[in-house]
Amino acid sequence: MATSSCRVLMVYPTFDAESFWNYAEVCKLAGARYPAAPLGLITVAALLPPTWDIRLVNRNTMDLTAADLAWCDMVMTGGMLNQQADALEVIALAKRHHKPVIVGGPDVTSSPHLYGAADFRVLGEAEGIIDTFVAAWEAGTRSGVFEAEKFQVDVTQAPLPRFDLLKFDQYLYIGVQYSRGCPFTCEFCDIIELYGRVPRTKTTPQMLAELDRLYELGYRGHVDFVDDNLIGNKKALKQFLPELALWLEARDYPYEFSTEASINLSDDSELLELMRRANFFAVFVGIESPDPATLVQTKKKQNTRRDLATSIHKIYSAGMFVTAGFILGFDNESESVADAMVELIEDAAIPVCMVGLLYALPNTQLTRRLAREGRLHPNHDVVPGGDQCTRGLNFDPIRPLRDILDDYKTILARVFDPVAYARRLDRLTTLLDRSRRPHDLPMGDLRRKFSSIEGVHRIVSQLPETREPFWQTFVHCAKTNPAALRYIVMLMALYLHLGPYARHVIGSIERRIAVLDRECAPLLPGTVEPFAAGIAGSA
Ligand code: SF4
C-alpha cells in the first residue's frame, strides 16, 4: 500500500434537474438539498491509501469551485447514465485546470468509449482494481484503462464507506449496500450485466459495523438499502434481518429502511415478517407491465402467473408501502395497454408509480438484440439530459411511436391527477398495516418536518388542486388507521414533485408528438421549414 500523499478531489456529477427521482420540492420541505448521498464515491474513498487526502464535492448539493480544483492533485468522478452529461463536463473542467482526471462507475463501465477525454478509466467494481490503479499512479503512470474482472469482487472484503465525508443534513436519506447482483434475467436490465446473476452479500457484522458508524456519526432517520434486489439471496438475508432487528431494538429504532425488491417478496411470509421487524417501511418493485405476454417476452417471468395487485397488497399487509416502476414501449405491447396499466395501478393502490418509456441501456440483452435487428438509434448511449420519461425509446419500436406516446400521455394524466392520487392513498390507508410498529420517527429525522398536519397544510397551499382530496384522505386515515398517517402524509409530500413533474413530461411528450406529426405531414407547396432530424433528439 502506498505511503505517499495525494490530494484527491472526488466530484459527484449532477443528475439532470428534470427527473422523476430528484424530489426537489420534498427536499425543500425537509430542508435537504438532494434525496440521496453518493455511496459509490465514499466507498471508493475508503479504498484509497490512508495517507491520501480526500475532499468530496457533490455537484447536486454544492458548487465545485476553482479553489477546489486548485487544491487537488487529481480529480475522481463518474456515476450513472443520468449523470453522464455532467460527468463529461467535470472531466472537461479538470482538464482546463490541468488536473489529471480518473473516471469510474457504472456508465463508464458500460460505455467506456464516451469517456476517452479522461486520463484514467477505471471499469467494473472498484474493489477489484483500485489497488492496481494506485500502484500505477505511485509508479508515475499518468494515463490508462484499468478493468476489474467481472463479478469477482468479494463484497465481504468491501471497506466501510467513508460516511464521515458526508454532510448528513443535505440528504433526505443515506444509502447502504448489502448485496450486489440479481438472479433474474430481465432483458432490459443492466444490473445483471454489471454485477452478475449470483448475488454476493456482505456479512452481518460488516453491515452492522456500517450502521454502527452511521450511528456514531450522529445520523438518525431514513436509511436506504440501495441493492437492486435486496432479496436476491433470501437465505443470507433471512440470517441478517433478525440481527438487524436486535440491533435496532437495542438502540430504540434510530433508523427506518427502504429498498428495492422483486415481487416474489410477496410469496414469502417469513421474509415479509422479518422485514417488518427490521423496520422496513417502503419497497420499490419493478412491475413493468400489466400484460403477462409482455412480461414473458422481456424475460420478467417472476411477475407472471400471479395476480399483481394481490401480491402488492400482501406487502402492504406487512407494513411496507410499495412504489413501483412501469414501462411503455415493449415489442408486443397491446393496443389496450394504457387502460390495463391504469387499472392495475388503481387496483394495486400504488400511489407513486414511475411510468417511463423503454430505454435501451448500454450493454444489455435488449440493446444487443435491437442492434442485431437494426433498430437502435445512432448515439443511443449518449444522454444529453432528461430521464427515461422524456428521452426513452432510443430505438425504433414495433408499435407506432405516436400510439405509444399518446398512451403515455394518457397514463400520466390519469395516474397523476390529484383526485386519482388521493384515491389511491385512501385505499392504501385501508391496506397498510402499521399496527405492530409503534415507534415514532427518531429525533433528527428530516421527515419529521413534513410528516404532520402542518405538513399537509404546506402541501395543499403549494398545490391548491390537492386541497380537497388530500384533506379528505388525511381525515379518513386519521380516523381509521392513525398508525399509517405519517406515511400517507409522506406520500402526499412526494406529490409536490410528482404532480408538476408528470405535467412537465406530458408537455415534453406533446412537443415530441408535434415534431412527429410535422415529419409525417405531406410537404405543402411553400413549406420551407426544415424538420427536426430525429425524434430521439427532439424532446
Ligand atoms: S429483477 Fe430487477 S435487478 Fe433483477 S434482473 Fe430484473 S430488473 Fe434487473
Side-chain angles (χ1 to χ4, degrees), residues 53-235:
D53 223 359
I54 295 165
R55 187 181 286 184
L56 172 67
V57 173
N58 179 352
R59 297 243 288 175
N60 298 282
T61 63
M62 60 205 288
D63 291 332
L64 171 62
T65 66
D68 291 323
L69 287 158
W71 167 84
C72 71
D73 298 317
M74 69 165 78
V75 174
M76 280 191 174
T77 191
M80 297 189 264
L81 184 74
N82 289 348
Q83 293 168 284
Q84 185 187 96
D86 196 50
L88 294 174
E89 174 63 24
V90 170
I91 293 168
L93 259 175
K95 300 303 288 180
R96 283 205 290 280
H97 283 76
H98 310 290
K99 301 293 178 176
V101 55
I102 298 95
V103 63
D107 195 45
V108 66
T109 300
S110 296
S111 304
H113 57 286
L114 298 179
Y115 290 88
D119 300 279
F120 295 94
R121 283 170 284 176
V122 178
L123 313 180
E125 294 172 81
E127 292 91 341
I129 197 69
I130 205 81
D131 280 355
T132 311
F133 161 72
V134 169
W137 174 266
E138 292 287 320
T141 304
R142 287 298 175 265
S143 67
V145 178
F146 296 84
E147 186 163 8
E149 208 181 327
K150 274 190 157 194
F151 320 145
Q152 293 307 306
V153 163
D154 176 1
V155 296
T156 65
Q157 303 303 311
L160 202 147
R162 288 280 310 274
F163 294 118
D164 58 295
L165 293 173
L166 301 177
K167 294 183 172 71
F168 293 138
D169 59 359
Q170 293 187 341
Y171 302 103
L172 284 181
Y173 54 84
I174 301 298
V176 294
Q177 186 180 50
Y178 174 62
S179 65
R180 293 182 200 163
C182 174
F184 293 113
T185 57
C186 308
E187 190 193 27
F188 53 83
C189 177
D190 61 348
I191 297 305
I192 45 182
E193 310 286 342
L194 289 164
Y195 303 113
R197 291 194 47 226
V198 180
R200 290 162 285 148
T201 61
K202 291 180 180 171
T203 65
T204 296
Q206 197 180 1
M207 279 317 300
L208 297 183
E210 292 193 17
L211 296 174
D212 277 337
R213 183 71 181 131
L214 275 177
Y215 190 79
E216 276 164 24
L217 289 168
Y219 182 70
R220 303 289 183 272
H222 176 182
V223 172
D224 182 51
F225 277 82
V226 302
D227 307 43
D228 295 289
N229 186 2
L230 183 75
I231 68 165
N233 182 340
K234 287 204 226 173
K235 190 170 167 224

Side-chain angles (χ1 to χ4, degrees), residues 211-321:
L211 296 174
D212 277 337
R213 183 71 181 131
L214 275 177
Y215 190 79
E216 276 164 24
L217 289 168
Y219 182 70
R220 303 289 183 272
H222 176 182
V223 172
D224 182 51
F225 277 82
V226 302
D227 307 43
D228 295 289
N229 186 2
L230 183 75
I231 68 165
N233 182 340
K234 287 204 226 173
K235 190 170 167 224
L237 186 64
K238 284 179 180 178
Q239 286 165 5
F240 166 55
L241 289 176
E243 299 296 323
L244 176 60
L246 290 173
W247 185 95
L248 287 168
E249 192 182 9
R251 290 159 187 78
D252 196 22
Y253 296 89
Y255 301 134
E256 278 196 324
F257 300 110
S258 60
T259 194
E260 294 184 31
S262 43
I263 201 159
N264 54 313
L265 166 64
S266 64
D267 306 334
D268 192 328
S269 301
E270 181 194 359
L271 193 50
L272 285 168
E273 182 56 24
L274 291 172
M275 287 178 74
R276 176 204 290 274
R277 289 192 195 153
N279 226 17
F280 279 78
F281 75 98
V283 187
F284 178 93
V285 177
I287 292 180
E288 325 307 2
S289 173
D291 176 20
T294 297
L295 292 166
V296 169
Q297 186 251 335
T298 197
K299 301 187 186 168
K300 191 133 196 161
K301 291 188 187 162
Q302 68 271 28
N303 285 23
T304 61
R305 295 191 300 278
R306 65 172 67 246
D307 183 302
L308 288 162
T310 304
S311 297
I312 298 298
H313 295 172
K314 187 104 188 283
I315 300 174
Y316 290 160
S317 69
M320 293 171 276
F321 69 75

Side-chain angles (χ1 to χ4, degrees), residues 18 390-391 402 405-406 409 501-519 532 534-535 537-539:
E18 291 172 358
T390 50
R391 305 202 70 83
R402 201 187 192 295
L405 297 178
D406 271 337
K409 267 176 44 185
Y501 187 67
R503 288 192 281 278
H504 162 78
V505 175
I506 289 170
S508 160
I509 297 301
E510 279 169 350
R511 289 191 291 282
R512 200 164 160 174
I513 289 172
V515 172
L516 195 61
D517 287 347
R518 282 188 297 165
E519 283 185 331
I535 287 301
S538 64

